[in-house]
């Protein structure tokens, strides 16, 4: 039986370049844009598809990188995943998405399993951390990049943002538009984002606890339930929510009370997600650079994959307030 599958040698011949140049162009390593276009056009004409299994066996790599998060449905993680894929795919890597759940133990178990040879590296955004997780990452048999600030002091490559400072930006904007009775709706305080965002609010708003409410999770449903409690006991003219999903819950709770956003109560979120941008009213939100953090994490992963002994690097992406209709901005 003969095979009609095109070979790498045939692609090289059609493109008129060497076999080595053809391989580099197809895998996105060390080839000029013109060379890449030329080789890929030849591959498309011949119907060539790489032999992924053979390549993995030859190089002793899976060409898979795991992206692990607590909730794969959260729009922040979806934006990160897209950005990670955009960076890794041209280098021949696939992104495998994994859900860790919301406990540090489940993340520890995932990191501990990396020696099985399923992936060549891990990009992880842990919701909760502890000493066991730090040790597992430090001793992991494959490169690990963390998205988040919690492990910056432990010699681990990471990409972070200043969410506490972002809360300060939101409060400063509300003060600028004349709002003074500002409440805060946060997620669980034992999480990395919850703790950071609470510090940010406490630093800029002198408040008693009646103006702060803690939701059971960073979801719309949890935000609605917590916002009902907050609005029932506090007379506010603005609410800062710790993420966009909580902010949408706040807007629903405001409307349930026969009030309007932003005329009666202005609302801000955090993460600048697509759902916040298209919601009515569109959501004033602090962008934490989800796409930029994803790209930066993927670039760190490629550097570590090429040279596992390269220096630890921490990349910081600054927050940026985006003003929209929920605080009276332009649609």
């Amino acid at each position: 039986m003969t095979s009609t599958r095109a070979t790498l040698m045939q692609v090289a011949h059609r493109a008129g370049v060497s076999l080595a140049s053809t391989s580099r162009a197809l895998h996105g390593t060390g080839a000029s844009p013109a060379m890449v276009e030329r080789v890929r056009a030849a591959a498309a004409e011949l119907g060539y598809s790489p032999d992924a299994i053979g390549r993995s066996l030859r190089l002793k790599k899976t060409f898979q990188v795991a992206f692990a998060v607590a909730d794969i449905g959260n729009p922040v993680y979806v934006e990160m995943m897209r950005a990670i894929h955009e960076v890794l795919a041209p280098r021949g890597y696939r992104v495998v998405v994994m859900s860790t759940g919301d406990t540090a133990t489940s993340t520890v178990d995932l990191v501990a399993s990396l020696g099985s040879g399923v992936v060549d590296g891990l990009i992880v955004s842990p919701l909760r951390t502890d000493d066991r997780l730090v040790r597992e990452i430090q001793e992991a048999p494959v490169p690990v990049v963390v998205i988040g600030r919690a492990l910056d002091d432990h010699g681990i490559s990471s990409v972070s943002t200043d969410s506490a400072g972002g809360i300060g930006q939101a409060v400063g904007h509300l003060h600028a538009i004349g709002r003074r009775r500002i409440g805060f709706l946060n997620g669980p305080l034992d999480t990395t984002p919850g703790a950071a965002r609470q510090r940010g609010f406490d630093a800029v708003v002198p408040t008693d606890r009646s103006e702060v409410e803690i939701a059971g999770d960073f979801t719309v449903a949890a935000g609605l339930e917590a916002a009902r409690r907050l609005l029932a006991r506090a007379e506010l003219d603005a609410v800062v929510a710790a993420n966009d999903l909580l902010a949408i819950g706040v807007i629903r709770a405001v409307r349930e009370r026969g009030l309007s956003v932003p005329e009666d109560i202005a609302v801000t979120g955090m993460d600048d997600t697509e759902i916040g941008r298209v919601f009515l009213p569109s959501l004033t939100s602090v962008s934490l650079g989800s796409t930029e953090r994803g790209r930066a994490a993927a670039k760190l992963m490629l550097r570590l994959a090429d040279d596992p002994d390269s220096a630890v690097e921490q990349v910081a992406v600054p927050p940026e307030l985006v003003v929209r209709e929920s605080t009276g901005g332009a649609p």
Side-chain angles (χ1 to χ4, degrees), residues 248-263:
I248 290 171
V250 172
I251 293 173
R252 173 65 183 269
V254 169
R255 289 171 173 165
E256 286 180 350
R257 300 181 70 83
L259 303 174
S260 62
V261 175
E263 289 79 9

Side-chain angles (χ1 to χ4, degrees), residues 33-46:
M35 176 72 75
V36 170
E37 183 178 356
R38 184 175 177 181
V39 170
R40 289 184 177 175
E45 289 175 12
L46 294 172

Side-chain angles (χ1 to χ4, degrees), residues 23-283:
S23 179
R24 286 195 299 270
L26 289 174
H27 299 140
T29 56
S32 68
M35 176 72 75
V36 170
E37 183 178 356
R38 184 175 177 181
V39 170
R40 289 184 177 175
E45 289 175 12
L46 294 172
Y48 172 79
S49 60
D51 182 0
I53 295 176
R55 183 184 179 216
S56 296
L57 290 173
R58 286 193 306 273
L59 300 179
K60 297 181 180 179
K61 297 178 70 174
T62 67
F63 288 93
Q64 294 190 148
V65 171
F67 177 48
V69 296
D71 177 10
I72 60 177
N74 188 307
V76 172
Y77 298 138
V78 173
E79 291 184 14
M80 286 183 183
M81 178 188 65
R82 289 173 181 160
I84 291 168
H85 170 76
E86 288 172 2
V87 174
L88 295 184
R91 290 285 299 272
Y93 285 90
R94 294 176 294 273
V95 180
V96 180
V97 181
M98 299 180 175
S99 177
T100 63
D102 61 1
T103 67
T105 298
S106 59
T107 309
V108 167
D109 292 341
L110 173 62
V111 177
S113 71
L114 294 177
S116 62
V118 176
V119 295
D120 296 329
L122 169 67
I123 299 173
V124 60
S125 183
L127 194 60
R128 293 176 171 86
T129 62
D130 59 19
D131 292 340
R132 295 174 303 152
L133 181 58
V134 171
R135 287 194 300 271
E136 288 292 345
I137 292 176
Q138 290 172 333
E139 298 171 3
V142 300
V144 177
V145 174
V146 174
I147 298 180
R149 302 192 69 174
L151 305 183
D152 277 4
D153 297 329
H154 297 280
I156 297 169
S157 291
S158 65
V159 180
S160 63
T161 187
D162 182 11
S163 60
I167 292 292
Q169 291 184 16
V171 172
H173 166 64
L174 292 171
H175 280 156
I177 62 174
R179 307 300 170 117
R180 295 294 180 267
R181 303 186 308 278
I182 302 173
F184 183 45
L185 181 59
N186 199 2
L189 294 178
D190 64 340
T191 64
T192 298
R197 293 165 201 193
Q198 190 65 53
R199 287 196 305 271
F201 187 78
D202 291 343
V204 293
V205 178
T207 179
D208 59 39
R209 306 314 292 180
S210 68
E211 294 174 328
V212 175
E213 186 61 55
I214 307 301
D217 203 350
F218 289 96
T219 62
V220 174
L224 174 58
E225 182 180 346
R228 287 167 175 162
R229 297 194 300 267
L230 177 63
L231 297 176
R233 70 166 187 269
E235 192 171 324
L236 305 172
D237 60 12
V239 175
V240 174
N243 77 352
D244 284 1
L245 299 180
L246 293 176
I248 290 171
V250 172
I251 293 173
R252 173 65 183 269
V254 169
R255 289 171 173 165
E256 286 180 350
R257 300 181 70 83
L259 303 174
S260 62
V261 175
E263 289 79 9
D264 299 306
I265 298 180
V267 178
T268 69
M270 176 166 278
D271 288 326
D272 189 30
T273 58
E274 183 177 14
I275 189 173
R277 295 190 286 269
V278 302
F279 194 74
L280 290 176
S282 58
L283 192 60

